[in-house]
Amino acid sequence: MSELVRLTKQDDVAIITIDNPPVNALSPGVPEGIAEAIELVEKDNGVVAVVMIGAGRTFVAGADIKEFGKMTSGQSARVDGFKPILLRIEDCRKPVVMAIHGTAFGGGLELAMAGHYRVAVPGAQVGQPEVKLGIIPGAAGTQRLPRLVGVAQAIAMCAEGSPIKAEEAAATGIVDRIVQGDLLAGAIVFAKEVASNPVRKTRERTDRLGTPEENESIFAAARENARKRQRGLLAPLAAIDAVEVATKLPFEEGCLAENDLFTRCLFSDQSKALIHVFFGEREVSKIPDVPKETPVIPVNGAAVVGAGTMGGGIAMVFANAGIPVLLKDTDQAALNRGFASIQKNYANSVKRGRFTQQFVDERLKLIQPTLSYEDFTDTDIVIEAVFESMTLKKEVFAELDRVCKPSAILASNTSTLNIDEIAASTSRPQFVIGTHFFSPANVMRLLELVRGESTGKEVIATCMQLSRRIGKIGVLVGNCFGFAGNRMFQPYRREAQFLVEEGASVETVDRALYDFGMAMGPLATADLAGLDVGWRIRKEHPDLYKPGVRRPIVEDRLCELGRFGQKTGAGWYKYDENRRATPDPEVAELVRKWTAEAGITQRQLAPEEIVERCIYALVNEGARILEEGYALRAVDIDIIYLNGYGFPAYRGGPMWYADTVGLKKVYERVCELRQQHGVLWEPAPLLKRLSEEGKSFADFHRQQDASSA
Ligand code: T1G
């Protein structure tokens, strides 16, 4: 037997245990071990039934995603080698009971459905999340699942990829019993109960496949929903096609059709990008010089200074994670306003069904408003979220340094200011770190953690762990102006404004980036964030623009007219009372006037040029950040852009996208733009070097890894 699969017996029940930590993925050796075990129990007359179970914290979390790269490069066999093993299980003459705890995901649920019965512990999860990797179930999941749960449920699970809890799985027909207490014991009891029953083969069931008439509207609605909510993604539509095949063709033919769809997805750029994202979201938590065993500071209580939009959202994040949080502001009126908007946000979440009223009531109790720093004496971490002024932040940190206990972490939510300068206003710079949340803080998943010169490793380890605990993806970056995300966003937004000045309409620029897959165009995003935010920073930092170097002219002039965006009902667009945007002819007229005064020639601009200039501006600045060491890896930048700036996950992030296009092509285009538009397009030395060496940003990371090993 392979050491990844164990076969034991208890009385007359055989137990097949899959033991491939950490998540019992179907790595090479596991399917083979399962097949061997089934052969053995089939021949063992002393066995009347079989239980299959996962060792450790979960059932099987699916195929080994690490193998996919080998599959697409032809190094290893594709997934469809697993299907005959599933048929073998299904054809076993003795009932096979699948015992589920943790997660039965992807190939794990496909394995479970090949069994004759499934039992699960409360809270276990089952699902077909393959679309999140840009693929579809490839081991008959799209053929067996609709036979078990019906068409609509199968589509939802395969096309959206969201798991369901065991309780819902029991209600919909996947799980036959919820086992309280010890899973293995409960599964063996169940196995004995069904031992004499005829085996039920999922593939032979058709009673839940519906009729063409019934299914037609279901599939139509599902496709429309996928096009709207999973815009640009191929896999959800492929998953719907595969489930539809199950309602029309016999099982074996359905599996062949599924395999074609699966293979097409697996070899797609989208899948490669989404698998990059899957591993990237896990890799960003690994800091080369902060090993896993670095001690962390316990965080049992937090505090937020500033009850404005960001401060309120950050307080909700801690409360949602069950961490009591103080919320301080300078006067009662400001505190009341802050708390009222928190209550309003929670009320909206209840209305949308995201939280129950009970959950909200409990969370609100965890948020304690205060006007006094004296209440901070026992707090483990403080997040400062006051107005973006260095003077004010230094005052706050000096105060925190006075009142907080020596081990308290002092963090700033600044989005641009120098963390070392803030830390210097305290006697404990090693406990100071940047915690840059993204608006709305209680929604956006990204948390940019800014490492100062003196920030201690325990503080970094604590904040990386805390990020996960509060439902965020923490990415560690260095302390340069705008850190990683905003520093790259500046040239991206610059190009968007230049393109308007050169003749593209506001909506054309936004449409081009929206069609590229961005959640929102750069100019609509600016209106959402407020044009005055950047305007104040530009006024506070006139050195941002070097003399003789072109700078955007329109946005500052829009601000001088009080057009700050959504908050003033007008910015690049004009907005109705529901904040719906419409193109504003007045802006088009102003742009024509101001650019004529500035002697800027206007011309037709194609969407390709618009996308290239905005996205390559991101990539070029990203390459600078990498070579200057303000980001650990190219993938860190990708994860920042996917979770903080609405970059499409199916393109993998700006750096992965550039690798997909090919750095030689990107570099050559940047050089052309340098010719046309001057020094702002000076290619990053790293981009030049990698392009000349025929390498990628991913190679650069591997080189770094090798050199630091
Ligand atoms: N393959 C390979 N490695 C995996 C893996 C997998 N399926 N799942 C997790 N890992 C690694 C992960 O990279 C990390 O490694 C460690 O395990 C712990 O994971 C045939 C084709 C199960 C909910 O999409 O959703 O089946 O960073 O940090 O938060 O039709 O992992 O420690 O080195 O995420 O407790 C479908 C993917 C595959 C599930 C656990 N399955 N995994 O979450 O731990 S396609 C999935 C997860 C498929 C079939 C098709 C989560 C988890 P490292 P972790 P966690």
Side-chain angles (χ1 to χ4, degrees), residues 22-23 57 61-65 107 110 130 137-138 278 282 286 468:
V23 293
R57 62 186 169 126
D64 187 333
I65 303 169
E110 290 168 308
E130 285 90 343
F278 175 84
R282 285 146 184 86
K286 298 167 184 152
R468 237 180 125 113

Side-chain angles (χ1 to χ4, degrees), residues 219-241:
F219 286 115
R223 289 191 171 96
E224 195 199 331
N225 185 40
R227 288 197 185 95
K228 223 187 290 158
R229 297 182 48 202
Q230 296 157 296
R231 189 169 59 90
L233 283 164
L234 304 172
L237 295 167
I240 296 167
D241 292 349

